[in-house]
Amino acid sequence: FLFNSLNAAIALVRTRPAEAEMVLENLADLFRAQLKDGNQSSTLGREIELAQGYLAIETIRMGHQRLQSMWYVDAPEQAEVPHLLLQPLLENAVYHGIEPSGEPGTIRIGFAREGEQLRVWLVNPCVSGGDGVKGNGMALTNIRERLALYYDLEARLEAKEEMGSDGVRQYRVVIVLPCRGVTS
């Protein structure tokens, strides 16, 4: 990701300097976030900002026609969430879903407050027939472990491959956690 992002910025410097600057600013922001203590919490708004920065880099790198995202936010942005909750999921969606297909794809990301819970979901296209890049599940395992540390049994993560309503295979991740840091 680092080298791809830097190469994308280098390629843009002369022809599209504003986009090159945006790539480098988002990359710096992501690295600053990575250096932050992982035991600290963040806000949903900050996590969305970091995730959108990450997707902006990947969109520039892959092309605006190839990678698109749709965001659904119906949750308080001040809600407390684990630091860097979304970025590894988006990285998986790009690496395992969009890149290997060679086709345009849309990643859908959503947040909803449901009573005292916060529901986070991410859906991305899958390469059919198991032709995609096989992962080792480390990102999902790490997020599950972090959710257990933060929330014990009050949070859960579900991930599955399924057929979408449009007949296209998709991968869905759903995280449910307590909605904290929000005044009612």
Side-chain angles (χ1 to χ4, degrees):
F1 169 68
L2 170 62
F3 293 112
N4 289 338
S5 299
L6 290 173
N7 285 331
I10 289 167
L12 295 169
V13 166
R14 287 194 175 95
T15 58
R16 300 186 330 235
E19 286 185 354
E21 182 178 0
M22 181 274 301
V23 167
L24 294 173
E25 286 173 350
N26 286 337
L27 189 59
D29 206 21
L30 282 167
F31 277 104
R32 248 188 313 281
Q34 288 282 353
L35 294 174
K36 184 177 172 184
D37 182 1
N39 294 325
Q40 295 178 355
S41 64
S42 185
T43 64
L44 180 60
R46 178 65 178 145
E47 292 302 301
I48 290 171
E49 183 181 308
L50 287 169
Q52 288 175 335
Y54 169 77
L55 283 178
I57 292 170
E58 292 291 24
T59 300
I60 293 292
R61 189 177 69 79
M62 297 178 75
H64 293 281
Q65 300 302 317
R66 179 99 189 277
L67 172 61
Q68 296 186 7
S69 59
M70 295 177 68
W71 294 81
Y72 308 91
V73 182
D74 188 21
E77 291 191 10
Q78 72 270 24
E80 186 178 297
V81 296
H83 178 62
L84 287 177
L85 178 69
L86 299 174
Q87 191 274 333
L89 296 174
L90 290 169
E91 194 167 340
N92 275 356
V94 170
Y95 185 70
H96 296 290
I98 306 293
E99 275 188 328
S101 77
E103 298 293 321
T106 300
I107 300 171
R108 297 186 320 269
I109 309 104
F111 312 90
R113 182 177 183 176
E114 298 172 350
E116 296 303 311
Q117 293 183 320
L118 178 64
R119 179 178 293 272
V120 178
W121 69 92
L122 187 140
V123 179
N124 60 273
C126 286
V127 176
S128 61
D131 293 335
V133 178
K134 190 72 175 155
N136 58 17
M138 189 169 23
L140 292 175
T141 299
N142 286 343
I143 292 171
R144 277 191 182 99
E145 288 173 0
R146 290 176 58 216
L147 289 172
L149 286 172
Y150 273 86
Y151 304 108
D152 197 27
L153 299 175
E154 293 181 88
R156 69 181 186 279
L157 181 149
E158 299 166 358
K160 65 180 177 180
E161 193 173 316
E162 61 189 17
M163 189 63 70
S165 59
D166 56 0
V168 175
R169 296 215 56 79
Q170 61 186 22
Y171 195 77
R172 176 182 300 274
V173 177
V174 177
I175 299 173
V176 179
L177 48 92
C179 190
R180 296 182 180 163
V182 178
T183 54
S184 296

mmCIF file of all heavy atoms in Angstrom, residues 104-147:
data_model
loop_
_atom_site.group_PDB
_atom_site.id
_atom_site.type_symbol
_atom_site.label_atom_id
_atom_site.label_comp_id
_atom_site.label_asym_id
_atom_site.label_seq_id
_atom_site.Cartn_x
_atom_site.Cartn_y
_atom_site.Cartn_z
ATOM 1 N N PRO A 104 -14.992 -2.768 -12.591
ATOM 2 C CA PRO A 104 -15.377 -1.723 -11.636
ATOM 3 C C PRO A 104 -16.150 -2.327 -10.474
ATOM 4 O O PRO A 104 -16.857 -3.328 -10.636
ATOM 5 C CB PRO A 104 -16.281 -0.798 -12.453
ATOM 6 C CG PRO A 104 -15.945 -1.080 -13.877
ATOM 7 C CD PRO A 104 -15.528 -2.525 -13.918
ATOM 8 N N GLY A 105 -15.979 -1.732 -9.313
ATOM 9 C CA GLY A 105 -16.685 -2.232 -8.142
ATOM 10 C C GLY A 105 -16.993 -1.123 -7.165
ATOM 11 O O GLY A 105 -16.312 -0.097 -7.139
ATOM 12 N N THR A 106 -18.007 -1.347 -6.367
ATOM 13 C CA THR A 106 -18.425 -0.380 -5.361
ATOM 14 C C THR A 106 -18.360 -1.036 -3.994
ATOM 15 O O THR A 106 -18.850 -2.159 -3.805
ATOM 16 C CB THR A 106 -19.869 0.102 -5.621
ATOM 17 O OG1 THR A 106 -19.911 0.719 -6.911
ATOM 18 C CG2 THR A 106 -20.315 1.102 -4.574
ATOM 19 N N ILE A 107 -17.753 -0.331 -3.065
ATOM 20 C CA ILE A 107 -17.734 -0.757 -1.671
ATOM 21 C C ILE A 107 -18.787 0.073 -0.957
ATOM 22 O O ILE A 107 -18.793 1.305 -1.055
ATOM 23 C CB ILE A 107 -16.349 -0.533 -1.032
ATOM 24 C CG1 ILE A 107 -15.282 -1.319 -1.789
ATOM 25 C CG2 ILE A 107 -16.374 -0.913 0.444
ATOM 26 C CD1 ILE A 107 -13.854 -1.003 -1.362
ATOM 27 N N ARG A 108 -19.690 -0.599 -0.249
ATOM 28 C CA ARG A 108 -20.734 0.094 0.510
ATOM 29 C C ARG A 108 -20.393 0.005 1.991
ATOM 30 O O ARG A 108 -20.131 -1.095 2.504
ATOM 31 C CB ARG A 108 -22.097 -0.519 0.213
ATOM 32 C CG ARG A 108 -22.485 -0.350 -1.252
ATOM 33 C CD ARG A 108 -23.907 -0.805 -1.580
ATOM 34 N NE ARG A 108 -24.380 -2.008 -0.956
ATOM 35 C CZ ARG A 108 -24.272 -3.229 -1.464
ATOM 36 N NH1 ARG A 108 -23.653 -3.411 -2.620
ATOM 37 N NH2 ARG A 108 -24.763 -4.278 -0.829
ATOM 38 N N ILE A 109 -20.401 1.151 2.648
ATOM 39 C CA ILE A 109 -20.055 1.236 4.059
ATOM 40 C C ILE A 109 -21.202 1.924 4.776
ATOM 41 O O ILE A 109 -21.685 2.968 4.320
ATOM 42 C CB ILE A 109 -18.762 2.057 4.278
ATOM 43 C CG1 ILE A 109 -17.629 1.549 3.367
ATOM 44 C CG2 ILE A 109 -18.337 2.017 5.738
ATOM 45 C CD1 ILE A 109 -17.351 2.404 2.196
ATOM 46 N N GLY A 110 -21.647 1.352 5.896
ATOM 47 C CA GLY A 110 -22.777 1.939 6.594
ATOM 48 C C GLY A 110 -22.634 1.905 8.100
ATOM 49 O O GLY A 110 -21.922 1.067 8.659
ATOM 50 N N PHE A 111 -23.336 2.842 8.739
ATOM 51 C CA PHE A 111 -23.336 2.974 10.187
ATOM 52 C C PHE A 111 -24.740 3.342 10.617
ATOM 53 O O PHE A 111 -25.347 4.247 10.046
ATOM 54 C CB PHE A 111 -22.390 4.099 10.632
ATOM 55 C CG PHE A 111 -21.049 4.038 9.981
ATOM 56 C CD1 PHE A 111 -20.820 4.700 8.779
ATOM 57 C CD2 PHE A 111 -20.022 3.312 10.541
ATOM 58 C CE1 PHE A 111 -19.589 4.646 8.163
ATOM 59 C CE2 PHE A 111 -18.786 3.252 9.924
ATOM 60 C CZ PHE A 111 -18.569 3.920 8.733
ATOM 61 N N ALA A 112 -25.232 2.657 11.633
ATOM 62 C CA ALA A 112 -26.563 2.982 12.138
ATOM 63 C C ALA A 112 -26.589 2.768 13.643
ATOM 64 O O ALA A 112 -26.038 1.777 14.148
ATOM 65 C CB ALA A 112 -27.628 2.122 11.472
ATOM 66 N N ARG A 113 -27.219 3.684 14.329
ATOM 67 C CA ARG A 113 -27.460 3.497 15.756
ATOM 68 C C ARG A 113 -28.793 2.785 15.888
ATOM 69 O O ARG A 113 -29.803 3.215 15.326
ATOM 70 C CB ARG A 113 -27.500 4.832 16.484
ATOM 71 C CG ARG A 113 -27.706 4.652 17.970
ATOM 72 C CD ARG A 113 -27.671 5.952 18.707
ATOM 73 N NE ARG A 113 -27.800 5.709 20.146
ATOM 74 C CZ ARG A 113 -27.735 6.650 21.038
ATOM 75 N NH1 ARG A 113 -27.543 7.906 20.681
ATOM 76 N NH2 ARG A 113 -27.871 6.361 22.314
ATOM 77 N N GLU A 114 -28.770 1.686 16.624
ATOM 78 C CA GLU A 114 -29.979 0.905 16.861
ATOM 79 C C GLU A 114 -30.125 0.776 18.370
ATOM 80 O O GLU A 114 -29.549 -0.129 18.983
ATOM 81 C CB GLU A 114 -29.875 -0.458 16.180
ATOM 82 C CG GLU A 114 -29.747 -0.333 14.672
ATOM 83 C CD GLU A 114 -29.456 -1.653 13.968
ATOM 84 O OE1 GLU A 114 -29.164 -2.662 14.649
ATOM 85 O OE2 GLU A 114 -29.506 -1.651 12.725
ATOM 86 N N GLY A 115 -30.866 1.698 18.968
ATOM 87 C CA GLY A 115 -31.001 1.731 20.422
ATOM 88 C C GLY A 115 -29.667 2.031 21.070
ATOM 89 O O GLY A 115 -29.057 3.059 20.805
ATOM 90 N N GLU A 116 -29.185 1.112 21.868
ATOM 91 C CA GLU A 116 -27.903 1.286 22.560
ATOM 92 C C GLU A 116 -26.748 0.621 21.823
ATOM 93 O O GLU A 116 -25.668 0.455 22.379
ATOM 94 C CB GLU A 116 -28.004 0.736 23.988
ATOM 95 C CG GLU A 116 -29.008 1.484 24.859
ATOM 96 C CD GLU A 116 -28.710 2.983 24.941
ATOM 97 O OE1 GLU A 116 -27.547 3.357 25.206
ATOM 98 O OE2 GLU A 116 -29.642 3.783 24.714
ATOM 99 N N GLN A 117 -26.987 0.232 20.577
ATOM 100 C CA GLN A 117 -25.943 -0.416 19.792
ATOM 101 C C GLN A 117 -25.598 0.407 18.550
ATOM 102 O O GLN A 117 -26.436 1.146 18.027
ATOM 103 C CB GLN A 117 -26.392 -1.808 19.343
ATOM 104 C CG GLN A 117 -26.546 -2.784 20.486
ATOM 105 C CD GLN A 117 -26.919 -4.158 19.974
ATOM 106 O OE1 GLN A 117 -27.710 -4.299 19.051
ATOM 107 N NE2 GLN A 117 -26.333 -5.181 20.589
ATOM 108 N N LEU A 118 -24.371 0.235 18.108
ATOM 109 C CA LEU A 118 -23.903 0.826 16.861
ATOM 110 C C LEU A 118 -23.636 -0.322 15.903
ATOM 111 O O LEU A 118 -22.900 -1.254 16.227
ATOM 112 C CB LEU A 118 -22.627 1.630 17.105
ATOM 113 C CG LEU A 118 -21.984 2.278 15.894
ATOM 114 C CD1 LEU A 118 -22.901 3.339 15.294
ATOM 115 C CD2 LEU A 118 -20.647 2.903 16.280
ATOM 116 N N ARG A 119 -24.264 -0.270 14.739
ATOM 117 C CA ARG A 119 -24.067 -1.297 13.710
ATOM 118 C C ARG A 119 -23.212 -0.686 12.592
ATOM 119 O O ARG A 119 -23.518 0.385 12.072
ATOM 120 C CB ARG A 119 -25.398 -1.772 13.152
ATOM 121 C CG ARG A 119 -25.264 -2.825 12.061
ATOM 122 C CD ARG A 119 -26.613 -3.314 11.569
ATOM 123 N NE ARG A 119 -27.325 -4.044 12.599
ATOM 124 C CZ ARG A 119 -27.201 -5.354 12.811
ATOM 125 N NH1 ARG A 119 -26.395 -6.062 12.051
ATOM 126 N NH2 ARG A 119 -27.889 -5.942 13.756
ATOM 127 N N VAL A 120 -22.151 -1.386 12.257
ATOM 128 C CA VAL A 120 -21.236 -0.983 11.190
ATOM 129 C C VAL A 120 -21.240 -2.110 10.169
ATOM 130 O O VAL A 120 -21.140 -3.280 10.544
ATOM 131 C CB VAL A 120 -19.797 -0.798 11.748
ATOM 132 C CG1 VAL A 120 -18.838 -0.425 10.633
ATOM 133 C CG2 VAL A 120 -19.772 0.212 12.884
ATOM 134 N N TRP A 121 -21.378 -1.771 8.888
ATOM 135 C CA TRP A 121 -21.324 -2.831 7.880
ATOM 136 C C TRP A 121 -20.531 -2.356 6.673
ATOM 137 O O TRP A 121 -20.412 -1.165 6.396
ATOM 138 C CB TRP A 121 -22.711 -3.316 7.474
ATOM 139 C CG TRP A 121 -23.547 -2.348 6.697
ATOM 140 C CD1 TRP A 121 -23.629 -2.225 5.345
ATOM 141 C CD2 TRP A 121 -24.419 -1.352 7.235
ATOM 142 N NE1 TRP A 121 -24.500 -1.226 5.011
ATOM 143 C CE2 TRP A 121 -24.998 -0.667 6.157
ATOM 144 C CE3 TRP A 121 -24.765 -0.967 8.533
ATOM 145 C CZ2 TRP A 121 -25.884 0.382 6.333
ATOM 146 C CZ3 TRP A 121 -25.648 0.072 8.703
ATOM 147 C CH2 TRP A 121 -26.200 0.726 7.606
ATOM 148 N N LEU A 122 -19.970 -3.332 6.008
ATOM 149 C CA LEU A 122 -19.167 -3.084 4.819
ATOM 150 C C LEU A 122 -19.456 -4.223 3.849
ATOM 151 O O LEU A 122 -19.420 -5.388 4.247
ATOM 152 C CB LEU A 122 -17.693 -3.075 5.214
ATOM 153 C CG LEU A 122 -16.713 -2.675 4.137
ATOM 154 C CD1 LEU A 122 -15.641 -1.807 4.736
ATOM 155 C CD2 LEU A 122 -16.116 -3.866 3.463
ATOM 156 N N VAL A 123 -19.781 -3.884 2.612
ATOM 157 C CA VAL A 123 -20.082 -4.884 1.587
ATOM 158 C C VAL A 123 -19.243 -4.552 0.353
ATOM 159 O O VAL A 123 -19.214 -3.417 -0.105
ATOM 160 C CB VAL A 123 -21.590 -4.875 1.220
ATOM 161 C CG1 VAL A 123 -21.884 -5.903 0.142
ATOM 162 C CG2 VAL A 123 -22.454 -5.102 2.454
ATOM 163 N N ASN A 124 -18.562 -5.577 -0.151
ATOM 164 C CA ASN A 124 -17.770 -5.394 -1.371
ATOM 165 C C ASN A 124 -17.978 -6.584 -2.296
ATOM 166 O O ASN A 124 -18.341 -7.666 -1.845
ATOM 167 C CB ASN A 124 -16.288 -5.217 -1.058
ATOM 168 C CG ASN A 124 -15.679 -6.392 -0.338
ATOM 169 O OD1 ASN A 124 -15.726 -6.451 0.883
ATOM 170 N ND2 ASN A 124 -15.102 -7.341 -1.077
ATOM 171 N N PRO A 125 -17.768 -6.383 -3.604
ATOM 172 C CA PRO A 125 -17.906 -7.495 -4.546
ATOM 173 C C PRO A 125 -16.834 -8.549 -4.301
ATOM 174 O O PRO A 125 -15.761 -8.248 -3.797
ATOM 175 C CB PRO A 125 -17.734 -6.841 -5.915
ATOM 176 C CG PRO A 125 -17.200 -5.489 -5.685
ATOM 177 C CD PRO A 125 -17.392 -5.137 -4.255
ATOM 178 N N CYS A 126 -17.153 -9.793 -4.665
ATOM 179 C CA CYS A 126 -16.212 -10.919 -4.575
ATOM 180 C C CYS A 126 -15.897 -11.409 -5.973
ATOM 181 O O CYS A 126 -16.751 -11.352 -6.853
ATOM 182 C CB CYS A 126 -16.834 -12.093 -3.831
ATOM 183 S SG CYS A 126 -16.967 -11.898 -2.086
ATOM 184 N N VAL A 127 -14.714 -11.948 -6.122
ATOM 185 C CA VAL A 127 -14.376 -12.631 -7.360
ATOM 186 C C VAL A 127 -15.024 -13.998 -7.283
ATOM 187 O O VAL A 127 -14.886 -14.713 -6.290
ATOM 188 C CB VAL A 127 -12.850 -12.742 -7.522
ATOM 189 C CG1 VAL A 127 -12.496 -13.531 -8.754
ATOM 190 C CG2 VAL A 127 -12.222 -11.363 -7.574
ATOM 191 N N SER A 128 -15.764 -14.359 -8.309
ATOM 192 C CA SER A 128 -16.488 -15.635 -8.280
ATOM 193 C C SER A 128 -15.552 -16.817 -8.492
ATOM 194 O O SER A 128 -14.495 -16.683 -9.102
ATOM 195 C CB SER A 128 -17.594 -15.637 -9.329
ATOM 196 O OG SER A 128 -17.028 -15.488 -10.612
ATOM 197 N N GLY A 129 -15.950 -17.946 -7.978
ATOM 198 C CA GLY A 129 -15.215 -19.191 -8.196
ATOM 199 C C GLY A 129 -13.937 -19.318 -7.404
ATOM 200 O O GLY A 129 -13.097 -20.141 -7.717
ATOM 201 N N GLY A 130 -13.742 -18.491 -6.382
ATOM 202 C CA GLY A 130 -12.541 -18.601 -5.561
ATOM 203 C C GLY A 130 -11.273 -18.190 -6.276
ATOM 204 O O GLY A 130 -10.181 -18.597 -5.901
ATOM 205 N N ASP A 131 -11.401 -17.369 -7.344
ATOM 206 C CA ASP A 131 -10.229 -16.942 -8.100
ATOM 207 C C ASP A 131 -9.528 -15.743 -7.490
ATOM 208 O O ASP A 131 -8.525 -15.283 -8.010
ATOM 209 C CB ASP A 131 -10.624 -16.592 -9.547
ATOM 210 C CG ASP A 131 -11.077 -17.813 -10.323
ATOM 211 O OD1 ASP A 131 -10.656 -18.927 -9.947
ATOM 212 O OD2 ASP A 131 -11.851 -17.649 -11.278
ATOM 213 N N GLY A 132 -10.043 -15.207 -6.406
ATOM 214 C CA GLY A 132 -9.458 -14.027 -5.785
ATOM 215 C C GLY A 132 -8.196 -14.353 -5.020
ATOM 216 O O GLY A 132 -7.755 -15.489 -4.925
ATOM 217 N N VAL A 133 -7.620 -13.305 -4.447
ATOM 218 C CA VAL A 133 -6.428 -13.453 -3.634
ATOM 219 C C VAL A 133 -6.855 -14.051 -2.304
ATOM 220 O O VAL A 133 -7.733 -13.532 -1.633
ATOM 221 C CB VAL A 133 -5.765 -12.068 -3.410
ATOM 222 C CG1 VAL A 133 -4.550 -12.203 -2.527
ATOM 223 C CG2 VAL A 133 -5.418 -11.418 -4.735
ATOM 224 N N LYS A 134 -6.254 -15.165 -1.941
ATOM 225 C CA LYS A 134 -6.613 -15.835 -0.692
ATOM 226 C C LYS A 134 -5.868 -15.167 0.454
ATOM 227 O O LYS A 134 -4.652 -15.025 0.422
ATOM 228 C CB LYS A 134 -6.242 -17.321 -0.782
ATOM 229 C CG LYS A 134 -6.783 -18.133 0.339
ATOM 230 C CD LYS A 134 -8.276 -18.297 0.201
ATOM 231 C CE LYS A 134 -8.800 -19.219 1.283
ATOM 232 N NZ LYS A 134 -10.185 -18.989 1.572
ATOM 233 N N GLY A 135 -6.616 -14.764 1.470
ATOM 234 C CA GLY A 135 -6.009 -14.132 2.631
ATOM 235 C C GLY A 135 -5.884 -15.115 3.774
ATOM 236 O O GLY A 135 -6.341 -16.256 3.709
ATOM 237 N N ASN A 136 -5.255 -14.646 4.844
ATOM 238 C CA ASN A 136 -5.098 -15.509 6.015
ATOM 239 C C ASN A 136 -6.037 -15.099 7.147
ATOM 240 O O ASN A 136 -5.977 -15.678 8.228
ATOM 241 C CB ASN A 136 -3.642 -15.530 6.486
ATOM 242 C CG ASN A 136 -3.126 -14.147 6.826
ATOM 243 O OD1 ASN A 136 -3.899 -13.219 7.024
ATOM 244 N ND2 ASN A 136 -1.821 -14.015 6.901
ATOM 245 N N GLY A 137 -6.884 -14.118 6.913
ATOM 246 C CA GLY A 137 -7.870 -13.719 7.916
ATOM 247 C C GLY A 137 -7.303 -12.911 9.062
ATOM 248 O O GLY A 137 -7.971 -12.732 10.081
ATOM 249 N N MET A 138 -6.076 -12.419 8.917
ATOM 250 C CA MET A 138 -5.439 -11.707 10.020
ATOM 251 C C MET A 138 -6.184 -10.427 10.405
ATOM 252 O O MET A 138 -6.343 -10.141 11.591
ATOM 253 C CB MET A 138 -3.986 -11.379 9.685
ATOM 254 C CG MET A 138 -3.270 -10.832 10.898
ATOM 255 S SD MET A 138 -1.470 -10.663 10.829
ATOM 256 C CE MET A 138 -1.045 -10.561 9.165
ATOM 257 N N ALA A 139 -6.658 -9.668 9.443
ATOM 258 C CA ALA A 139 -7.359 -8.422 9.756
ATOM 259 C C ALA A 139 -8.627 -8.702 10.554
ATOM 260 O O ALA A 139 -8.891 -8.049 11.572
ATOM 261 C CB ALA A 139 -7.682 -7.642 8.486
ATOM 262 N N LEU A 140 -9.406 -9.684 10.111
ATOM 263 C CA LEU A 140 -10.637 -10.021 10.828
ATOM 264 C C LEU A 140 -10.333 -10.561 12.223
ATOM 265 O O LEU A 140 -11.010 -10.214 13.190
ATOM 266 C CB LEU A 140 -11.466 -11.031 10.037
ATOM 267 C CG LEU A 140 -12.073 -10.520 8.731
ATOM 268 C CD1 LEU A 140 -12.763 -11.650 7.988
ATOM 269 C CD2 LEU A 140 -13.036 -9.380 8.983
ATOM 270 N N THR A 141 -9.306 -11.388 12.335
ATOM 271 C CA THR A 141 -8.917 -11.923 13.643
ATOM 272 C C THR A 141 -8.491 -10.799 14.573
ATOM 273 O O THR A 141 -8.910 -10.753 15.739
ATOM 274 C CB THR A 141 -7.780 -12.955 13.483
ATOM 275 O OG1 THR A 141 -8.258 -14.027 12.667
ATOM 276 C CG2 THR A 141 -7.324 -13.493 14.822
ATOM 277 N N ASN A 142 -7.677 -9.876 14.060
ATOM 278 C CA ASN A 142 -7.221 -8.751 14.889
ATOM 279 C C ASN A 142 -8.388 -7.882 15.345
ATOM 280 O O ASN A 142 -8.437 -7.458 16.499
ATOM 281 C CB ASN A 142 -6.199 -7.895 14.129
ATOM 282 C CG ASN A 142 -4.852 -8.568 14.011
ATOM 283 O OD1 ASN A 142 -4.545 -9.520 14.728
ATOM 284 N ND2 ASN A 142 -4.038 -8.083 13.092
ATOM 285 N N ILE A 143 -9.325 -7.620 14.452
ATOM 286 C CA ILE A 143 -10.470 -6.790 14.827
ATOM 287 C C ILE A 143 -11.333 -7.520 15.851
ATOM 288 O O ILE A 143 -11.773 -6.909 16.840
ATOM 289 C CB ILE A 143 -11.279 -6.377 13.587
ATOM 290 C CG1 ILE A 143 -10.453 -5.413 12.731
ATOM 291 C CG2 ILE A 143 -12.600 -5.713 14.001
ATOM 292 C CD1 ILE A 143 -11.045 -5.115 11.384
ATOM 293 N N ARG A 144 -11.554 -8.799 15.671
ATOM 294 C CA ARG A 144 -12.324 -9.577 16.661
ATOM 295 C C ARG A 144 -11.657 -9.512 18.038
ATOM 296 O O ARG A 144 -12.319 -9.333 19.056
ATOM 297 C CB ARG A 144 -12.454 -11.035 16.227
ATOM 298 C CG ARG A 144 -13.560 -11.287 15.262
ATOM 299 C CD ARG A 144 -13.818 -12.790 15.080
ATOM 300 N NE ARG A 144 -14.862 -12.987 14.117
ATOM 301 C CZ ARG A 144 -14.670 -13.285 12.825
ATOM 302 N NH1 ARG A 144 -13.444 -13.439 12.355
ATOM 303 N NH2 ARG A 144 -15.691 -13.431 12.018
ATOM 304 N N GLU A 145 -10.339 -9.671 18.062
ATOM 305 C CA GLU A 145 -9.606 -9.624 19.333
ATOM 306 C C GLU A 145 -9.711 -8.241 19.971
ATOM 307 O O GLU A 145 -9.892 -8.126 21.189
ATOM 308 C CB GLU A 145 -8.144 -10.008 19.120
ATOM 309 C CG GLU A 145 -7.956 -11.484 18.833
ATOM 310 C CD GLU A 145 -6.530 -11.852 18.450
ATOM 311 O OE1 GLU A 145 -5.645 -10.954 18.395
ATOM 312 O OE2 GLU A 145 -6.293 -13.055 18.195
ATOM 313 N N ARG A 146 -9.591 -7.210 19.169
ATOM 314 C CA ARG A 146 -9.706 -5.845 19.706
ATOM 315 C C ARG A 146 -11.110 -5.577 20.233
ATOM 316 O O ARG A 146 -11.286 -4.955 21.276
ATOM 317 C CB ARG A 146 -9.326 -4.833 18.627
ATOM 318 C CG ARG A 146 -7.828 -4.881 18.320
ATOM 319 C CD ARG A 146 -7.426 -3.963 17.191
ATOM 320 N NE ARG A 146 -7.769 -2.602 17.466
ATOM 321 C CZ ARG A 146 -8.193 -1.733 16.552
ATOM 322 N NH1 ARG A 146 -8.312 -2.112 15.289
ATOM 323 N NH2 ARG A 146 -8.472 -0.494 16.867
ATOM 324 N N LEU A 147 -12.132 -6.052 19.515
ATOM 325 C CA LEU A 147 -13.507 -5.883 19.995
ATOM 326 C C LEU A 147 -13.705 -6.605 21.325
ATOM 327 O O LEU A 147 -14.359 -6.079 22.230
ATOM 328 C CB LEU A 147 -14.509 -6.395 18.957
ATOM 329 C CG LEU A 147 -14.654 -5.562 17.683
ATOM 330 C CD1 LEU A 147 -15.535 -6.290 16.679
ATOM 331 C CD2 LEU A 147 -15.176 -4.171 17.981
#
